[in-house]
Amino acid sequence: MSEVKRTQQGRVVSDKMDKTVVVQTEKMVMHPMYKKFVRRRVKYKVHDENNDARMGDTVLIEETRPLSRSKRWKIRTITQRAV
């Protein structure tokens, strides 16, 4: 039985922790009253087993079982390296 896991794409904003990076994702939502699109940003603590990701990289993350108190995501692939 194959399970489809939620994925999101975002940018690494911090890589100072060991085996953990902070990834910021962004989505556009419509304001309920003014009907204008507003950017909403969320930061996730993401598991990075090999410490591959660096600050500024664009990564694809997927949901996983709880790995710690705050980590529920892990890196699937590094989409684009920072310059």
Side-chain angles (χ1 to χ4, degrees):
M1 186 167 155
S2 68
E3 179 183 334
V4 178
K5 297 185 179 183
R6 289 197 308 165
T7 61
Q8 291 192 22
Q9 190 164 5
R11 177 172 288 127
V12 177
V13 292
S14 173
D15 61 352
K16 295 182 188 297
M17 294 173 274
D18 186 34
K19 295 189 178 186
T20 305
V21 293
V22 179
V23 175
Q24 179 174 303
T25 63
E26 192 174 274
K27 66 178 179 179
M28 301 288 279
V29 295
M30 185 180 281
H31 191 281
M33 182 174 171
Y34 299 114
K35 307 301 181 197
K36 178 181 177 178
F37 282 99
V38 184
R39 277 193 186 109
R40 294 285 181 224
R41 295 185 180 110
V42 182
K43 288 181 182 177
Y44 297 103
K45 287 195 177 86
V46 180
H47 186 65
D48 181 14
E49 182 64 36
N50 302 321
N51 288 320
D52 290 334
R54 295 283 164 251
M55 209 153 118
D57 291 352
T58 304
V59 294
L60 185 68
I61 62 176
E62 74 176 3
E63 199 171 30
T64 184
R65 65 183 176 82
L67 299 169
S68 73
R69 179 179 170 188
S70 56
K71 285 200 293 189
R72 290 348 183 215
W73 297 82
K74 68 179 179 181
I75 291 182
R76 181 188 277 181
T77 57
I78 298 174
T79 312
Q80 184 179 11
R81 289 282 183 185
V83 180

